[in-house]
Amino acid sequence: MEVNAVTFHQSPPQIVKDSSEVQINCSHDDTNLVIMLWYQQRKNSPSMTLIGYGYESSPNYEGQFEEQFTLTRQSTVKGSLIIKTANLSHSAVYFCAASTQ
């Protein structure tokens, strides 16, 4: 049985100034995974919330997240999550994931 593992790289933890713009980068090594998804996991929460997802163009946002976040893609295998104006409510762990559909 052969297992093909995809390698992901994400930005390290950041401590940021209030009201600053924050960029979190993600990359992986599988060009077949054309959709990139971003999740937020708040402290003391077992669940992750989907912020948004998208192909290389036209990201889709969940709920009110479009007002707070911008999703960008540099290529199929590279993308970024931008917190437009960070504040204490954005304190969380952010995860990127990728999918073929």
Side-chain angles (χ1 to χ4, degrees), residues 6-9 25-36 56 72-80 96 98:
V6 179
T7 302
F8 279 84
H9 296 283
N25 300 315
C26 176
S27 64
H28 61 79
D29 60 2
D30 188 339
T31 54
N32 294 313
L33 303 176
V34 293
I35 299 174
M36 187 170 281
E56 278 193 62
T72 64
R73 290 286 285 281
Q74 292 77 50
S75 68
T76 303
V77 295
K78 284 186 176 180
S80 301
C96 71

Side-chain angles (χ1 to χ4, degrees), residues 3-58:
V3 176
N4 292 323
V6 179
T7 302
F8 279 84
H9 296 283
Q10 278 190 246
S11 295
Q14 300 179 60
I15 297 172
V16 302
K17 286 184 178 177
D18 190 44
S19 301
S20 63
E21 181 180 281
V22 180
Q23 181 168 318
I24 302 168
N25 300 315
C26 176
S27 64
H28 61 79
D29 60 2
D30 188 339
T31 54
N32 294 313
L33 303 176
V34 293
I35 299 174
M36 187 170 281
L37 308 95
W38 286 92
Y39 295 90
Q40 179 190 67
Q41 185 176 29
R42 292 184 184 277
K43 190 177 179 182
N44 302 323
S45 171
S47 62
M48 288 191 286
T49 303
L50 179 64
I51 295 169
Y53 62 92
Y55 297 88
E56 278 193 62
S57 59
S58 65

